[in-house]
Amino acid sequence: MNDPDLKPGDALLIVDMQVDFLPGGLLPLEDGLEIMPLINRWIAAAEKAGVPVFASRDYHPPAHCSFEERGGPWPVHCVQGTAGAEIHPDVSLPADAIIVDKGNDPDKEAYSAFDGTALAARMREHGVQRLWVCGVALDYCVRASVLDGLKEPGFEVHLILDGTRAANVQPGDGERAIAEMRTAGAQVLTAV
Ligand code: VGL
Ligand code: ZN
């Protein structure tokens, strides 16, 4: 297992580790809790290094366009103000973690934590140049966030592969997402 090695200019981005995406939630990744200890180690390392922690939330209004009732691909999930939309209580978020909500336009899907949010600006305020990304789902919101992060001038993006899990709606989606992120310039941290 790789030890987090963080320095000034780094940031940790934890994508959508919400109650609804984990076992017991409305759109769960059945193996999602497996990554909790590793994510918590990265949070502890970030706090020790004085590096900012960002946590995104999928945060939909009721009747969001991505819901099946509106012809979208997903069951209802992460509705604003519900317990399912909260960050899972097992994530040891620092008190000063910066929460970024996305997907709040009823008529627009937003998988990326950068899409329609102030995330890039907030990161620049903190002098961020290197992003370490973990969370769920690898083949949806993690993928989109990594690809958008790479488009931001001056950001280097590292994927903490063992700190993610894929939805794999189609077999191989997770593997394809990893290949795509690599091709786009992401550095993929894998356990040795
Ligand atoms: C996500 C499906 C629907 C995600 C969000 O966070 O990866 N997946 N909305
Ligand atoms: Zn969603």
Side-chain angles (χ1 to χ4, degrees):
M1 194 159 342
N2 287 280
D3 267 333
D5 185 15
L6 297 170
K7 60 182 186 191
D10 284 347
L12 183 62
L13 173 59
I14 303 165
V15 176
D16 298 9
M17 283 296 284
Q18 292 161 271
V19 169
D20 272 348
F21 291 133
L22 293 164
L26 294 174
L27 182 51
L29 292 166
E30 294 304 340
D31 53 1
L33 287 172
E34 292 171 11
I35 62 180
M36 203 62 88
L38 182 67
I39 290 177
N40 284 331
R41 279 183 46 223
W42 278 81
I43 292 172
E47 287 186 281
K48 198 170 161 205
V51 153
V53 176
F54 295 83
S56 67
R57 294 192 302 189
D58 206 37
Y59 213 63
H60 299 312
H64 186 251
C65 62
S66 75
F67 298 168
E68 284 160 350
E69 64 199 39
R70 285 197 55 198
W74 307 113
V76 170
H77 63 279
C78 299
V79 173
Q80 295 168 8
T82 65
E86 295 305 316
I87 304 284
H88 194 282
D90 291 356
V91 180
S92 307
L93 271 194
D96 61 355
I98 298 156
I99 310 285
V100 177
D101 292 339
K102 64 182 172 64
N104 22 30
D105 182 333
D107 299 317
K108 190 176 170 292
E109 179 59 293
Y111 288 134
S112 162
F114 291 95
D115 190 351
T117 71
L119 179 59
R122 300 295 299 278
M123 286 183 162
R124 290 210 167 85
E125 283 166 23
H126 285 264
V128 173
Q129 295 167 335
R130 204 163 68 144
L131 253 70
W132 296 88
V133 186
C134 58
V136 294
L138 173 64
D139 37 0
Y140 288 93
C141 292
V142 171
R143 170 188 171 278
S145 300
V146 165
L147 294 178
D148 272 359
L150 289 165
K151 288 180 200 146
E152 291 292 335
F155 286 0
E156 186 181 304
V157 184
H158 294 252
L159 174 69
I160 306 165
L161 190 59
D162 295 337
T164 68
R165 285 294 182 270
N168 283 321
V169 172
Q170 303 294 332
D173 280 354
E175 289 304 317
R176 278 188 290 275
I178 295 166
E180 208 180 341
M181 288 183 267
R182 270 192 216 276
T183 300
Q187 302 189 42
V188 181
L189 180 62
T190 49
V192 281

